[in-house]
Amino acid sequence: MTNTKTEEWKMSIGTLNEEVLKKLSKMLDNSTCGWRKLATAAAEHPKFLCSEKELTSCSLQVLDAGGSPARTLLAWLADRSCSLDFLLHCLRKMDHEEAVQFLTTAVAELIQITVQPQSQQATQGSRVILTCRASGPPGLSYQWFRGNEEILNDTGSSPELVLCPLGPAHQGHYICRINHGEKYVFSQWVHVDLVSQGSSPGCSSSLFSGSVSGLQIIHQPQSQAASEGDTLVLECKAEANPPAQYEWYHNKKLLLQQKTCVLKIPCVTTEHRGEYSCKVFNLYHQAWSDTATVTIGPSSVIEASWVELDRGLKSQEVHRSTSGLGAHPLLQMANLSVSAKNYYATDKVALLIGNMNYLYHTQLSAPISDVHELTNLLRQMDFKVVSLLDLNWQEMHSAVTEFLLLLDKGVYGLLYFAGHGYENYGNSFMVPIDAPASYTSAHCLCVQNILTKMQEKETGLNVFLLDMCRKKNPNDIVIVQPGLIKVTANIVFGYATCVDAEAYEVKREDVSNGIFISFLKKRVCEDEKVTVMLDRVAEDMGRCEITRGRQALELRSNLSERRSLTDQIQISACSASHSARNLQWAVSHVLPKSHCLQFDCGVKVQLGFAAEFSNIMVIYTRILEKPKEIVSCSAQLTDFPEDVDVDLKKTNQETLLEAGILLLIKEELPSPEAPSLYTRIRSLQRLRRELTFTVCLHYTYSNLDEEVQERLPVTVGKPLVSKLNLHEPRPSHSCSASTSFNSDSFNFPACSTFTEDFASVDSASNTWSYYAQTAGQVSHADSQTSSRSANVPEETDCPELFDSPRPLVASKSLPHSQVNDTNYKFSDMYNFHSY
């Protein structure tokens, strides 16, 4: 392209067709030179500066198998009238040569309609000419259609359609399709009406003015947002003679069982996200409804917790389609051939455990940030992630059991552990926080035993990332005999260090990082075979002076196929197990609903929730309304149950840092007139009953010096992972015959808090109803105070609760560029294992 701006380059991003946008999004959906860099480059123009909420919402698109953060960002830029020229400038600024070349070619081949056909009315026997002209690459061809039938024009591929002499057969709706190779655009629909000799051409003879004769849509389906487990209802109504029939389409695929004007799907899951449209037809005519975009959690926690009324609208804006033609049946005439990768997953599930606060061993600092960062990176690759901190033996055992229930044939399973560990006779052992000073295999979990259970699920890929020491344990003289490991050629072990060596973390004043994650986070999202990616991590570590001769990554694998963590998810024809897995995972990530509490004095308090990890929740309060006679007031939380871990010295703090919250992105702080107080609740996995606490309102009247208090009890059900009751042993009838859970015979049960017959689930609705009974019901009082739509049924980082202006990835973590920094000292390195 020359320096002179052509008219094409002045056009908006929204003029690009969906095929181009999808290909461009695919190039930008990566963690190195991707959509985040594009957002940063575009921010040089204030008009295109994205807020933290918007960036976080982009990131959360990866939780949908078909979601694309880059596509969402491009849609926002299009909504703000970002020109193609500015987009090209940003791509050049970020040195994305592939995207620059592709966009340049795409714009050169861009088809732009310059003259749209117009509706006409004429008398029988007259001459009508419909004209459609377009600019673009040489050799454009034109196809005309009446309804769904192509009209073979005598003049060939002509921009003009001549109807002469006009007769009754010519009445109807017309559209023009302009083609160039595989690229095409459609004109607007126009209609040709036949009027009698005595009628004025300005008066329509149609029974339904402005629509297809005999058919008119009077109620369009509306875009909406919902949480998993909700019932989705879309409605499309039409006036028609003969009466109308209805067909519903989801992402352009026909829904065979939906034949009425109301589309109703009970107990929706993430697979129900996308675009819905309705085809309305009768014996003579047909019409298509508007496209309704449906988002099924997660949305931003803030949108769910702080601003409940805006939640649906914001979610709709994020997912707004930029193409007005996506639902029309003629688009099906040019199916796009998408080059699929050779390998795919039926689902992707990850269990991340970080143990720090050991009772009888050295305290660690890095696992909290390591688990947090890896969680966000895996979520960007569509993994369902369960992230847990500080588990004892029983809780680790139960967590692994639940993890195994999420696995199935073809699923990619990933287990990451950061904490103390050891290796004896080729077996690796993860140490729980309650392990005694002289622990043995009986007090730990054997990784190889977990692998044998994963193989029984016929998983597509088994990945173990063990960020722990591998020194021999002199206290353990028992040689554990794990179950027989099958030759499945799909196993990858990534050890943070070599055999009989130690793993280290680099300690900082605020947040520390393990050496392993410091390098892994730079590579883990690469679209490469898992072993190739880990090899590159090993090479990076080998070039670091601080780790040379002390810690080196070791890779063990029998992976024979080119499987990558970035492989796409393809749901099998029978999606019952996938829906059940979605719900099984989602039930352990449901946040309490936002509360608005009304006190007798007239003060209104808002109570919000955010998930820091699957077992750590942040509760925050702010004053929404107060009478003028009250000069000061604050809402503080107290009376927490003994089950959970709450540092009383850090409760009800005005800043995230004071509350001990280091990893969440800094919120847009409320105004001084409405300060927020934060409280961090840990160890939710030990909660044995519904979480209850008291909101204590302290306030002072203008004419009184003495402070007044009001107290309101609050019950919020069992939030996040507490529903799984990880503190409870699994039923003995399906566990090992041994009465103890000795890891020597570690045998994971097929049962848990969920149904034992997952594979035979008939419907997602039945599964959800089971969860409602077993995982704990929200109390009646709780259901009276807030609506269910405020729930965010997935692990979500709260964009208004974060501690720095960077979305998702912890800003205070060790950046890769600093790994070779000479500021590192060997005295900063701490051993992950100490006897």
Side-chain angles (χ1 to χ4, degrees), residues 98-118:
E98 182 186 12
V100 168
Q101 180 62 38
F102 174 75
L103 182 61
T104 303
T105 304
V107 172
E109 299 176 353
L110 188 65
I111 304 171
Q112 182 73 10
I113 295 179
T114 57
V115 177
Q116 290 278 5
Q118 302 297 319

Side-chain angles (χ1 to χ4, degrees), residues 85 92 94 102 153 250 333 407 507 552 593 664 672 695 716 729 734 813-814:
D85 182 72
R92 285 175 171 165
M94 54 192 285
F102 174 75
N153 197 344
H250 176 215
M333 297 173 60
L407 303 181
K507 197 162 188 178
K593 307 154 198 168
L664 295 181
V695 179
V716 295
S734 60
S813 61
L814 178 66

Side-chain angles (χ1 to χ4, degrees), residues 8-133:
E8 287 81 3
W9 286 102
K10 293 179 181 179
M11 293 188 299
S12 167
I13 295 174
T15 59
L16 296 174
N17 63 44
E18 192 63 25
E19 178 188 3
V20 172
L21 289 170
K22 284 182 178 179
K23 288 184 178 179
L24 186 60
S25 299
K26 188 175 181 180
M27 297 177 186
L28 294 170
D29 277 333
N30 62 79
S31 59
T32 52
C33 188
W35 65 274
R36 290 184 185 279
K37 280 193 174 182
L38 175 60
T40 301
E44 73 178 39
H45 194 304
K47 181 179 180 181
F48 307 123
L49 178 64
C50 292
S51 68
E52 290 301 327
K53 290 182 184 179
E54 292 169 332
L55 291 176
T56 301
S57 296
C58 281
S59 297
L60 293 176
Q61 301 307 306
V62 300
L63 293 177
D64 185 351
S68 168
R71 183 66 185 85
T72 303
L73 177 61
L74 290 174
W76 279 340
L77 292 175
D79 288 343
R80 296 167 188 178
S81 302
C82 177
S83 68
L84 294 170
D85 182 72
F86 185 77
L87 175 60
L88 184 67
H89 163 72
C90 293
L91 294 174
R92 285 175 171 165
K93 183 177 180 182
M94 54 192 285
D95 295 325
H96 201 312
E97 294 299 330
E98 182 186 12
V100 168
Q101 180 62 38
F102 174 75
L103 182 61
T104 303
T105 304
V107 172
E109 299 176 353
L110 188 65
I111 304 171
Q112 182 73 10
I113 295 179
T114 57
V115 177
Q116 290 278 5
Q118 302 297 319
S119 296
Q120 299 190 39
Q121 297 176 343
T123 58
Q124 185 168 339
S126 61
R127 178 186 179 93
V128 169
I129 301 177
L130 300 178
T131 303
C132 179
R133 299 186 185 277

Side-chain angles (χ1 to χ4, degrees), residues 151-172:
I151 300 172
L152 299 178
N153 197 344
D154 294 337
T155 59
S157 177
S158 171
E160 295 183 344
L161 174 65
V162 180
L163 306 177
C164 182
L166 189 67
H170 292 130
Q171 287 195 116

Side-chain angles (χ1 to χ4, degrees), residues 629-643:
E629 58 270 20
I630 293 180
V631 293
S632 65
C633 63
S634 65
Q636 301 183 10
L637 309 183
T638 186
D639 300 334
F640 290 99
E642 295 181 357
D643 298 344

Side-chain angles (χ1 to χ4, degrees), residues 596-607 621-627 629-639 652 673-675 677 693-701 706-714:
C596 286
L597 305 178
Q598 187 69 53
F599 287 82
D600 293 340
C601 62
V603 173
K604 188 175 183 179
V605 174
Q606 189 170 23
L607 195 65
T621 62
R622 69 172 175 180
I623 307 299
L624 292 181
E625 299 175 4
K626 66 180 181 68
E629 58 270 20
I630 293 180
V631 293
S632 65
C633 63
S634 65
Q636 301 183 10
L637 309 183
T638 186
D639 300 334
N652 304 303
E673 291 76 21
L677 299 180
F693 53 88
T694 301
V695 179
C696 185
L697 182 69
H698 302 259
Y699 58 94
T700 305
Y701 285 103
E706 186 175 354
E707 184 180 80
V708 183
Q709 292 186 14
E710 277 189 47
R711 300 167 67 91
L712 280 180
V714 176

Side-chain angles (χ1 to χ4, degrees), residues 353 355 359 389-399 431-435 443 445 685-686 688 726-728:
I353 299 176
N355 284 345
L359 301 180
L389 293 187
D390 291 331
L391 303 185
N392 60 33
W393 186 91
Q394 179 58 66
E395 293 159 358
M396 286 183 68
H397 176 279
S398 299
V431 181
I433 63 169
D434 61 343
H443 308 104
L445 271 71
Q685 75 276 9
R686 293 168 198 160
R688 296 177 180 271
L726 299 183
H727 57 275
E728 295 180 352

